[in-house]
Amino acid sequence: VNITNKNGFYFVRFYDFQPSHWNFNILKFNAQKPAEREIVTTNLFPYSSEHFHNALSQNHFVNIKLYSSLSFAKFDEFESKDLFVCAGKA
């Protein structure tokens, strides 16, 4: 994804694509001692807005609204980068 350098440390961000999910990785190392490295991995799952809507409905949530921002902008499944969900418990 990208490589940045801050105070002598490099940060390399990249993905590993698995059949059921993606791994988002951040590799950190010192330019003077590259063998001393640290990697942090976060699993990302490709849930759709429909998945969240259905899961909330099945668990008795009502008035489910999907937005693309905290300012309640309309959610577009093809264009929106974020998903914000508002729902009430029945």
Side-chain angles (χ1 to χ4, degrees), residues 21-70:
H21 66 282
W22 296 359
N23 291 329
F24 175 66
N25 305 289
I26 301 174
L27 172 64
K28 174 185 171 185
F29 63 92
N30 184 304
Q32 302 301 316
K33 299 178 184 178
E36 295 178 14
R37 61 192 177 275
E38 177 183 351
I39 189 164
V40 176
T41 300
T42 301
N43 296 329
L44 302 176
F45 296 90
Y47 296 122
S48 66
S49 59
E50 182 180 353
H51 170 86
F52 284 105
H53 192 280
N54 291 341
L56 289 166
S57 293
Q58 291 171 6
N59 286 282
H60 311 292
F61 281 84
V62 295
N63 300 323
I64 302 165
K65 306 287 184 197
L66 307 177
Y67 301 102
S68 66
S69 71
L70 290 174

